Amino acid sequence: MDDDIVMLDKLPPHLKPLLDTFIKDAKSEVKYSSRLVVLLIIVGLLVIFLVGNFILYKYAMKNLPPRKTKPKSKSKKKIKKERLLMQGE
């Protein structure tokens, strides 16, 4: 920090007004509140996450084979009828 002050003293006189205007412009810029920065970061990460999930979903629907379906179980009535038929034979 002290080195910066020493360097400012060594500047040629014709550059000092330019440096002063640059410093004034830098100070007058709009400063964002920390809440806004945190909100923008969170919203940005959320958007990236959702877009990534959508892209992975579309890729999976296109390239992965369909799921195997489980065989449907027989109803209790059909099982009882089959047992009675088996016993009758």
Side-chain angles (χ1 to χ4, degrees), residues 39-52:
L39 180 68
L40 289 174
I41 289 172
I42 291 173
V43 168
L45 290 174
L46 182 65
V47 167
I48 290 170
F49 176 75
L50 292 175
V51 168

Side-chain angles (χ1 to χ4, degrees), residues 10-89:
K10 293 180 181 179
L11 281 175
H14 66 278
L15 290 180
K16 284 186 180 181
L18 293 173
L19 183 63
D20 289 339
T21 56
F22 178 74
I23 291 173
K24 285 179 186 176
D25 289 342
K27 286 182 180 177
S28 67
E29 286 183 15
V30 177
K31 294 185 178 181
Y32 298 108
S33 68
S34 60
R35 290 181 182 176
L36 180 63
V37 172
V38 170
L39 180 68
L40 289 174
I41 289 172
I42 291 173
V43 168
L45 290 174
L46 182 65
V47 167
I48 290 170
F49 176 75
L50 292 175
V51 168
N53 277 343
F54 180 73
I55 291 170
L56 285 174
Y57 173 76
K58 287 295 185 181
Y59 175 79
M61 295 302 289
K62 187 185 297 183
N63 294 323
L64 294 179
R67 287 186 177 179
K68 294 180 181 178
T69 57
K70 294 182 179 178
K72 294 183 180 178
S73 62
K74 297 179 181 178
S75 66
K76 290 182 179 179
K77 289 181 181 179
K78 287 184 179 180
I79 293 172
K80 285 182 182 178
K81 283 182 184 179
E82 287 179 4
R83 285 187 186 168
L84 287 173
L85 290 174
M86 295 291 286
Q87 288 176 358
E89 292 178 0

